[in-house]
Amino acid sequence: MNNILKKLLGKNLPPLHRLRTGLMGLALCGFITACSPTPDPRLAAIAANDQPYNTGWQFFRSENALDLATAQQHQDWQTIQIPHTPKIEPLVVNEQFQGDAWYKKVITPEAAWKEKQIALKFEAAMNVAEVWLNGEKLTTHVGGYLPFTVNLTEKLKWDSPNELMVRLDNRDNPITGPKPLKDLDFNTYGGIYRSVQLQINNDLHITDAVAAGKKASGGIFVTYPQVSKEQAMVRIQTHVYNAHYDPKKFRVVQRLMDGEKVVADQTSPLLSITGKSDQENIIELPVTQPRLWSPKTPNLYQLVTRVYEGDSLVDEKTTRIGIREFKWVEGQLLINGEKTFLRGVNRHQEYPYVGYATSDAADYRDAVKIKSAGFDYVRLSHYPHSPAFMAAADELGLVLLDSILGWQYFSEDPAFQAQIQQTCRDLIRRDRNHASVMAWECSLNESWMTEPFIDSLTNIVHEEYPGSMSAGWQEYGYDIYLQARQHRLEHYQEPNKPYIVSEYGDWEYYAMNAGLNQTAWADLLQADRSSRQLLSDGEKRLLQQASNIQEAHNDNFNTPAFADGYWVMFDYNRGYAPDLESSGIMSIDRLPKYSYYFYQSQRDANEVSDKFASGPMVFIASEWNEHSSLDVRVFSNTDEVELILNGKIIAKQTPDQNNNSKNLKHPPFTFKVDKFAAGELKAIGYIDGKAAAEYKVVTPGEAARLRMSVDTSGKAPQAGVKDVVFVYAQLVDSDGDPLRSNNVPVNFSLTGSATLISPAEVVTSNGIASALIEIGDSLAGIKLTATSDNLPAASLDIAR
């Protein structure tokens, strides 16, 4: 071992390079010859070739299109951190910013970069990006939802700082689609809204899956030729590139880890690669009695891939994978051989005020909320979502339908079609290793498409991921047929292939137009019959939303669908309307409506996790005041529920039995109460005769104070990464019981390393005022204070 180190720690190398190379020698001992039972922990320092590059950026925006020279002369640059939105928008976005967003950053090469391959990877930037280095244009990238990489290796100046300039144009674009913003059902926002990574690679390295641009290749591609409880085969395809002019010899080593336990490992033979060329290596790892991934058991492994040149470790990637099989038999889904119905929801990724510029932690909290609501499936509508959300889905057990950008827009323009086809390829290359991805919606949402165009997209899916399934909005061509319930009501025919109710519970209760053109808005129904109800709309209308959802979800079981997706999880903004689209089961501020608890009750009580709300539950869908319905609805996944008013038992009964509940796993319980009496209404849920869950609602008195809380949802606030976090101020009476008052002004002030993103004054919705804050470099000392007329000030220390 000492001889290896002496050889590797050559005196002619820079000190940092000598240290890293020496550690590679140590890693060689621990990994190939197994002279150490576990990999050396210092390997993390070697393999950190993808580094966050999100600080030290500058920004300005312009509604006018500017050229590079004009932008360089601009004087009023703002220092910002990525992720970033060009404009903090109001809660209801009526005039979203569209124009130029300019970013610049000074890049000063470090000694450790010498003789390395240097690139910047943008996880996403909206919508057309142009990148210059020292005034020389390097690339133009079209499309705002998927990553692109800029190679800087040959362009960096080593004797002086380098100026990187990025121009983003988020104006309407007929090449990327979809419709112009004024006609669009959602907002597209702008900016470098996901992370930027600095990639530092040796000449011999594992490629980036998207940047490599190789069909069914690039990076690391993991598939599962065999999956059973007894035995699985993990097939790993690794794409290696040699950026040097000289040939090299190398080995690829694969090791599958379950925590600290080595499950399987294998080393390739010595391979040869010529200069400036690439090569694939395939290794198959057998796994005995694998811990399979499914929505109920989201077991994950760590696949460690290492490339050695001679005795030196030159690259390492860790891929989190889940061994699983999605298979369809007679239209029904089998996950690892077990028939599964997926109860799901659609999600838009926007946050209020910051649009798409959320943090990884915020995306994780969204995933926890979705799983806590009783869902096992998410349709990623109507565009690629963040890698952070998808990683959370892997961990929590959310099955995903992965989608390209599209909404009621198709063009015969060859440039448009080529862009969509490339987007399909890039989507699959980015996301193919996620255990959670079930199928690929390489289809334009709610859009008529020509058959040759559909054929091209389905062929791409099968080329890029052989054996995988395509999903689309026309029954022709796609492996899985997506149909919204509002369209089914007018145009349903028994499908002859796997079928998903892609959307339901909103449009059919909002308008009688069952066509694809929502801008027609024909025959609108009364507001109190709609599923579009804000959190502030009160008990009666929130109950109506829950009734609509129950009816529609129950009806979906009358079809052969193997999955359904309610529209939508969170309220959101839309370009063509001057208000929030409010069919979410949670508000845009991530607060639950009654319908959230209806879905939560559909998960069996015996499913329990420490990562999300689960197990036995009971919820009373009532404010319990003099205006409340005396038909009290209770959502629960228990066998029986007992309702008690001020200590007196109203009834103990089993779930409702009617036409709108006959297909449900856990129908609601409806109790008849003779008359209203102020006080405590309590529900107790019983399983096998034993109390398993309890919930109460109390008629409140006058507002006495504010009670503060912070949204953690499985992830505490994170410092140093520009985390955005909701903080809530709840009106309560002197006994601490919550009020449901609307439009009460609450003023927020903030101290410490944080920024108040929402306005200083926010009015209550259902008794709660919501503030959105951005965490700075430290949690210590961050305090949010809320005040309201005639109430004492309330404060919350974020670090506690």
Side-chain angles (χ1 to χ4, degrees):
M1 186 66 206
N2 288 336
N3 290 334
I4 293 175
L5 288 175
K6 286 178 182 178
K7 179 179 178 181
L8 292 174
L9 297 177
K11 293 183 180 181
N12 60 324
L13 297 177
L16 181 59
H17 193 176
R18 291 204 304 268
L19 174 60
R20 287 182 173 175
T21 312
L23 291 177
M24 290 175 188
L26 291 173
L28 181 66
C29 174
F31 200 81
I32 291 185
T33 65
C35 58
S36 143
T38 58
D40 193 299
R42 291 169 291 179
L43 283 170
I46 304 170
N49 50 1
D50 285 9
Q51 305 171 13
Y53 211 56
N54 295 327
T55 60
W57 290 81
Q58 292 184 291
F59 160 81
F60 80 91
R61 69 171 185 260
S62 171
E63 293 184 358
N64 300 317
L66 305 179
D67 59 21
L68 176 66
T70 304
Q72 287 174 322
Q73 295 170 7
H74 187 80
Q75 299 298 311
D76 190 18
W77 290 84
Q78 175 189 359
T79 300
I80 59 95
Q81 182 177 348
I82 307 298
H84 181 259
T85 187
K87 179 186 175 186
I88 300 298
E89 301 282 0
L91 180 67
V92 179
V93 184
N94 290 327
E95 296 181 1
Q96 178 209 295
F97 168 76
Q98 288 186 288
D100 279 2
W102 283 90
Y103 295 84
K104 72 176 179 179
K105 182 174 175 62
V106 173
I107 301 175
T108 302
E110 301 176 13
W113 301 5
K114 281 286 189 180
E115 300 179 3
K116 303 286 186 181
Q117 299 295 310
I118 311 299
L120 282 182
K121 180 178 180 178
F122 295 80
E123 288 290 353
M126 188 62 68
N127 175 41
V128 177
E130 297 175 275
V131 182
W132 295 264
L133 185 68
N134 301 322
E136 179 183 352
K137 189 170 185 178
L138 301 185
T139 193
T140 298
H141 180 264
V142 179
Y145 291 95
L146 288 168
F148 66 95
T149 300
V150 183
N151 194 326
L152 307 179
T153 307
E154 303 297 330
K155 304 298 182 180
L156 284 170
K157 296 186 298 184
W158 289 87
D159 55 353
S160 61
N162 299 262
E163 183 181 69
L164 184 82
M165 295 279 289
V166 181
R167 174 187 178 243
L168 301 181
D169 178 358
N170 71 336
R171 298 173 181 87
D172 300 334
N173 190 304
I175 302 303
T176 62
K179 288 184 177 181
L181 183 62
K182 67 179 180 62
D183 298 320
L184 192 61
D185 186 56
F186 54 95
N187 288 62
T188 52
Y189 299 101
I192 306 177
Y193 66 91
R194 291 183 192 150
S195 181
V196 179
Q197 300 286 325
L198 175 66
Q199 297 181 326
I200 306 172
N201 285 304
N202 290 309
D203 284 342
L204 190 66
H205 61 273
I206 301 167
T207 62
D208 179 271
V210 175
K214 303 277 287 187
K215 185 188 302 182
S217 181
I220 296 165
F221 186 5
V222 184
T223 55
Y224 310 96
Q226 177 187 353
V227 176
S228 73
K229 295 178 181 178
E230 294 73 33
Q231 186 78 21
M233 186 68 71
V234 180
R235 181 182 186 273
I236 309 117
Q237 179 178 311
T238 306
H239 184 241
V240 177
Y241 181 69
N242 178 16
H244 204 275
Y245 289 98
D246 296 332
K248 294 180 180 289
K249 294 184 181 297
F250 69 98
R251 288 185 175 88
V252 177
V253 181
Q254 303 287 2
R255 173 171 282 184
L256 190 64
M257 306 291 295
D258 186 359
E260 297 297 317
K261 177 185 176 183
V262 178
V263 175
D265 60 358
Q266 192 176 134
T267 302
S268 74
L270 188 64
L271 304 170
S272 297
I273 187 170
T274 59
K276 295 291 182 180
S277 68
D278 61 326
Q279 187 169 319
E280 297 276 11
N281 170 256
I282 296 174
I283 288 177
E284 292 189 340
L285 297 179
V287 182
T288 302
Q289 294 182 323
R291 297 193 311 119
L292 301 181
W293 187 97
S294 74
K296 292 184 179 179
T297 59
N299 300 311
L300 295 171
Y301 292 89
Q302 302 290 329
L303 175 67
V304 182
T305 304
R306 293 176 182 157
V307 176
Y308 289 87
E309 182 185 356
D311 293 333
S312 297
L313 174 64
V314 293
D315 204 357
E316 175 187 344
K317 303 287 185 187
T318 299
T319 309
R320 194 167 67 163
I321 66 169
I323 300 173
R324 83 290 185 264
E325 178 189 58
F326 296 114
K327 186 178 180 180
W328 286 262
V329 177
E330 296 180 350
Q332 296 306 298
L333 171 63
L334 278 65
I335 301 180
N336 307 324
E338 181 178 339
K339 184 178 176 180
T340 305
F341 178 83
L342 295 172
R343 182 177 50 258
V345 72
N346 287 258
R347 177 205 185 223
H348 272 305
Q349 67 183 11
E350 74 160 317
Y351 255 42
Y353 312 113
V354 298
Y356 290 166
T358 60
S359 60
D360 289 356
D363 282 335
Y364 187 90
R365 296 183 195 110
D366 266 10
V368 169
K369 290 177 177 67
I370 292 171
K371 191 74 175 182
S372 295
F375 296 116
D376 290 327
Y377 156 65
V378 185
R379 177 168 172 256
L380 301 180
S381 47
H382 300 293
Y383 40 75
H385 288 221
S386 74
F389 182 83
M390 304 189 74
D394 294 341
E395 181 180 327
L396 297 169
L398 287 168
V399 175
L400 303 180
L401 181 59
D402 210 356
S403 308
I404 61 171
L405 174 63
W407 195 79
Q408 299 184 1
Y409 177 83
F410 174 76
S411 172
E412 296 279 10
D413 186 340
F416 168 82
Q417 297 191 16
Q419 170 67 20
I420 299 303
Q421 290 159 349
Q422 187 61 50
T423 297
C424 178
R425 292 190 186 279
D426 290 348
L427 175 77
I428 296 171
R429 292 167 185 173
R430 187 193 72 162
D431 295 340
R432 64 198 177 194
N433 292 332
H434 283 286
S436 53
V437 176
M438 168 181 63
W440 309 97
E441 189 181 335
C442 283
S443 175
L444 301 174
N445 176 67
E446 293 187 335
S447 305
W448 176 87
M449 297 164 284
T450 64
E451 290 186 358
F453 183 62
I454 291 173
D455 290 339
S456 74
L457 292 173
T458 55
N459 288 339
I460 286 170
V461 171
H462 299 149
E463 286 174 358
E464 290 290 339
Y465 197 141
S468 68
M469 298 281 276
S470 65
W473 279 84
Q474 288 169 234
E475 192 166 9
Y476 171 83
Y478 289 104
D479 300 317
I480 297 171
Y481 177 35
L482 308 177
Q483 186 179 43
R485 183 172 182 264
Q486 66 265 23
H487 305 149
R488 178 176 91 227
L489 294 177
E490 297 291 333
H491 308 294
Y492 181 71
Q493 292 182 345
E494 188 82 9
N496 60 8
K497 58 178 60 178
Y499 176 73
I500 295 177
V501 183
S502 55
E503 302 172 12
Y504 71 92
D506 170 35
W507 188 254
E508 68 268 39
Y509 298 99
Y510 180 68
M512 299 308 293
N513 169 22
L516 295 181
N517 183 11
Q518 292 188 20
T519 55
W521 283 22
D523 302 320
L524 292 182
L525 298 177
Q526 297 97 318
D528 60 358
R529 290 175 57 190
S530 174
S531 298
R532 300 190 179 186
Q533 306 295 350
L534 292 165
L535 185 64
S536 59
D537 282 338
E539 176 187 306
K540 180 179 179 180
R541 289 172 63 163
L542 293 178
L543 283 170
Q544 183 64 49
Q545 183 193 55
S547 295
N548 294 350
I549 287 171
Q550 177 184 334
E551 177 184 73
H553 184 51
N554 179 77
D555 180 51
N556 289 338
F557 290 102
N558 295 324
T559 76
F562 69 85
D564 66 2
Y566 173 67
W567 187 267
V568 62
M569 184 68 197
F570 307 111
D571 292 350
Y572 64 96
N573 280 283
R574 53 217 168 116
Y576 70 13
D579 56 5
L580 292 177
E581 208 283 33
S582 55
S583 59
I585 65 167
M586 299 188 90
S587 71
I588 196 171
D589 295 322
R590 275 52 178 176
L591 292 169
K593 305 174 189 178
Y594 292 161
S595 48
Y596 171 96
Y597 298 101
F598 163 74
Y599 280 118
Q600 192 176 75
S601 72
Q602 298 309 296
R603 171 168 282 138
D604 288 339
N606 60 9
E607 186 174 346
V608 178
S609 174
D610 59 359
K611 293 185 176 181
F612 53 87
S614 55
M617 62 79 61
V618 62
F619 176 82
I620 302 171
S622 173
E623 295 181 7
W624 199 240
N625 57 40
E626 63 272 20
H627 304 295
S628 292
S629 172
L630 296 180
D631 290 340
V632 176
R633 202 178 315 173
V634 176
F635 302 126
S636 181
N637 57 7
T638 60
D639 304 332
E640 295 180 288
V641 169
E642 185 176 55
L643 190 68
I644 304 168
L645 176 58
N646 294 328
K648 181 181 178 181
I649 297 175
I650 301 296
K652 183 178 182 181
Q653 61 193 53
T654 56
D656 301 345
Q657 298 296 321
N658 55 53
N659 287 335
N660 288 334
S661 62
K662 63 181 180 180
N663 296 324
L664 300 179
K665 297 190 74 173
H666 302 286
F669 300 72
T670 303
F671 292 85
K672 303 289 186 179
V673 181
D674 291 337
K675 62 180 180 179
F676 170 76
E680 179 187 271
L681 192 64
K682 181 166 67 174
I684 303 174
Y686 292 86
I687 298 177
D688 295 332
K690 297 181 180 179
E694 183 177 307
Y695 183 87
K696 70 177 182 179
V697 58
V698 177
T699 309
E702 297 294 321
R705 58 186 174 88
L706 293 164
R707 183 169 61 213
M708 305 282 286
S709 62
V710 62
D711 175 22
T712 54
S713 295
K715 187 78 71 174
Q718 309 287 299
V721 291
K722 209 177 177 187
D723 192 10
V724 286
V725 181
F726 288 108
V727 180
Y728 306 115
Q730 167 79 64
L731 291 168
V732 298
D733 64 14
S734 58
D735 293 325
D737 295 317
L739 281 74
R740 304 301 177 190
S741 308
N742 294 315
N743 301 314
V744 176
V746 175
N747 286 276
F748 290 98
S749 59
L750 185 63
T751 58
S753 181
T755 304
L756 185 63
I757 301 296
S758 51
E761 182 177 283
V762 178
V763 298
T764 59
S765 178
N766 201 34
I768 302 172
S770 303
L772 185 67
I773 66 172
E774 180 185 290
I775 305 297
D777 293 331
S778 172
L779 294 177
I782 299 178
K783 181 178 287 188
L784 187 69
T785 300
T787 59
S788 189
D789 288 348
N790 303 317
L791 299 180
S795 294
L796 178 70
D797 188 337
I798 298 297
R800 292 182 181 175

